[in-house]
Amino acid sequence: MKIRELSRREFLAVSGMTGAGLVVAGCGGGETIGGEEEGGGDGQPQEGGTFTFGRGSDSVTLDPIHATDGESLIVCRQIFDGLLDFEPETTDLVPALAVEVPEPEEDGLVYTFPLREGVTFHDGTPFNAEAVVFNFERWMNSGNEYHAGGGPQASDFSYYSGMFGGFDEESIIESVEAVDEYTVRFRLREPQGPFLRNIAMSPFGIASPAAIQEDVEEFWRNPVGTGPFRFVEWNQGSTVRLEKNEEWWGTDVPVEEGGGGPFVDEVVFQSIDDNTSRVAALAGGQLSGADGLTPDDVPTIEQDPNLKVIFRPPLNVGYLAMHTQKEPFNDVNVRRAINHAIDMEAIVQAFFGETGEVATNPMPPTVPFFNEGVERYPYDPDRARELLAEAGYEDGFDTELWFMPIPRPYMPDGRGIAQAIASDLQEVGINCELVTFEWGTYIERTGRGEHPMALLGWTGDNGDPDNFLNIHFNSANATEENALNIAYYENDEVDELLNRGASTIDEGEREEAYMRVQEIIMEDAPWVTIAYTRPPLGFQNRVQGYLPSPTGGESFNSVYLSG
């Protein structure tokens, strides 16, 4: 399999934008956790009402193929359906617009999807095989007249490029053919292990061809899908308003398979960038639910008799990346010394509390082929000093440590965590100046490799190891711009193993490749892994049926309001 060049898609996919300006401050320097289920409550779900969901940032675009931020994707998830979906609260595959999860044919080169009949887009036009072909041809062919749109912050179809290897002749998908009105067949240029999981991701929601043809450039502000809720209006910077789709195909599908409802008449996404204000709005009854909570918010909400906390199942990792192409971080002994110098147990306890556990590998234990035999570097400042001396830095050195300006599930307090890390590093002679920027600028500059060390994290798209390991450690992703491998880590053996794991449907071969990759990464130490977390969400007690997704992009079709 050719090395896949991935774009900068998912760091925007797990983030929102803030209005904070540049801040530069000087500074001297186990067990697996599970998610908590929220059942549908007693009795039958009730119809009606408005579900108001508070979040930290506004959406960037509502054209799902261009959505690279989590706040856009969760709105798109309500408007659009894909061919496949993830079973609620898991990353197990279930049918959506397809009526079954297909088996691979011709050794993984062909997949045939039978489609649901009688489904219509929100504009009244029919969903069929030609609609699927239209969408994929728009995404995969750079010369297609509708390979456009997305708004001023369009991602240039980066999710397609990232998941399927590029466009045109580089695309792993060779062709998409309408076999008949309700059957579509995919032919691949080579097998792809995570192909079906990739297909199930929210960016590949099927859009109305008629709406795109009418005005592709404005589709990002006027989205039309087949999902449980229809788009009504978007007051940018404030609210997105959706209404119940009375004709949704999934109404009669069991809730455990992703169906049921929709029960509420209206969904409103409310942007409140200040976390304290968002929690106050929840406590005051202005919000039905709220995302982006910090661990410190959990006891506050749990103590309120009118509120409750639900945790998303863990599918994320926070980390400190060292730029391995820059001195002194091009020396493995320096990177290992930094791993030894940081008391991560204390940091995770202080900043994550009950919501996190110390990370060992660069992917969480909920992902297949997690290598339990890999152990993180123990906290040992004396060993750190020895390694620095071996690298020629017996007197230490000065550097910058970049930190995130906004809280994310994998990094609830970027500044505080950076200060704690800097304090530990100062003890072994490494003096850090703490640096941050407005979030969009932070993403752009780390994507250009301007940092020496930077804090970031990742929430998985699909529960596959390829989505963690290939994205962050394949040298093809250490690009001059929009890099996802921000450690700029390069290892030929790792590249070969990652490509082997991605290009086979043999689970035994995939396991062997990914287990070895985790061992090599620990040896080479391009990261200091921080924590895996159960992201908390807060709700009014009357909210029932909320089924949190590990990917952070759950559908609200099962939600109803009791009382």
Side-chain angles (χ1 to χ4, degrees), residues 242-315:
L242 312 177
E243 67 180 9
K244 177 179 182 176
N245 177 13
E246 299 277 3
E247 300 176 352
W248 188 49
W249 60 266
T251 297
D252 297 326
V253 174
V255 170
E256 59 270 20
E257 296 176 16
F263 300 111
V264 297
D265 293 331
E266 191 175 50
V267 169
V268 176
F269 288 89
Q270 176 71 56
S271 302
I272 305 175
D273 58 3
D274 179 72
N275 190 70
T276 300
S277 298
R278 192 164 59 257
V279 174
L282 177 66
Q286 289 82 44
L287 300 175
S288 309
D291 199 356
L293 306 184
T294 70
D296 289 342
D297 297 321
V298 172
T300 301
I301 293 173
E302 288 179 334
Q303 291 165 14
D304 189 320
N306 298 313
L307 304 178
K308 60 186 174 184
V309 176
I310 299 173
F311 293 94
R312 283 201 179 102
L315 189 65

Side-chain angles (χ1 to χ4, degrees), residues 25-64:
C27 174
E31 291 180 351
T32 301
I33 48 182
E36 286 191 5
E37 296 187 4
E38 168 61 21
D42 296 329
Q44 294 298 314
Q46 299 180 27
E47 302 271 351
T50 297
F51 177 65
T52 304
F53 191 71
R55 57 198 184 136
S57 300
D58 194 12
S59 301
V60 173
T61 180
L62 299 183
D63 184 350

Side-chain angles (χ1 to χ4, degrees), residues 285-365:
Q286 289 82 44
L287 300 175
S288 309
D291 199 356
L293 306 184
T294 70
D296 289 342
D297 297 321
V298 172
T300 301
I301 293 173
E302 288 179 334
Q303 291 165 14
D304 189 320
N306 298 313
L307 304 178
K308 60 186 174 184
V309 176
I310 299 173
F311 293 94
R312 283 201 179 102
L315 189 65
N316 58 50
V317 62
Y319 63 85
L320 169 65
M322 293 166 277
H323 197 311
T324 61
Q325 304 303 313
K326 291 183 176 181
E327 293 184 355
F329 306 103
N330 58 344
D331 191 315
V332 68
N333 280 335
V334 170
R335 302 195 300 269
R336 291 170 178 167
I338 289 172
N339 270 271
H340 278 299
I342 299 171
D343 187 354
M344 198 58 71
E345 291 278 356
I347 289 173
V348 171
Q349 179 61 39
F351 292 98
F352 294 85
E354 66 177 287
T355 70
E357 69 171 274
V358 176
T360 53
N361 288 318
M363 67 181 194

Side-chain angles (χ1 to χ4, degrees), residues 64-113:
I65 195 60
H66 282 293
T68 54
D69 65 291
E71 306 299 5
S72 295
L73 287 167
I74 196 168
V75 178
C76 289
R77 179 64 189 82
Q78 317 311 317
I79 301 170
F80 297 89
D81 300 307
L83 296 178
L84 303 176
D85 199 358
F86 298 114
E87 180 183 283
E89 302 181 287
T90 78
T91 54
D92 296 335
L93 293 172
V94 292
L97 290 175
V99 296
E100 64 183 43
V101 179
E103 293 294 330
E105 306 167 46
E106 299 183 23
D107 296 323
L109 292 177
V110 173
Y111 291 85
T112 302
F113 291 79

Side-chain angles (χ1 to χ4, degrees), residues 106-175:
E106 299 183 23
D107 296 323
L109 292 177
V110 173
Y111 291 85
T112 302
F113 291 79
L115 306 178
R116 294 187 188 273
E117 300 183 21
V119 176
T120 58
F121 290 101
H122 299 156
D123 58 7
T125 58
F127 164 78
N128 53 29
E130 291 295 343
V132 176
V133 172
F134 176 91
N135 276 267
F136 274 88
E137 288 187 344
R138 177 199 179 204
W139 304 337
M140 65 194 285
N141 297 326
S142 61
N144 186 288
E145 63 179 308
Y146 301 110
H147 190 83
Q153 293 182 289
S155 71
D156 296 324
F157 299 84
S158 61
Y159 252 111
Y160 185 88
S161 176
M163 294 297 96
F164 299 116
F167 307 116
D168 306 317
E169 297 301 316
E170 294 182 352
S171 172
I172 288 170
I173 299 176
E174 182 177 10
S175 64

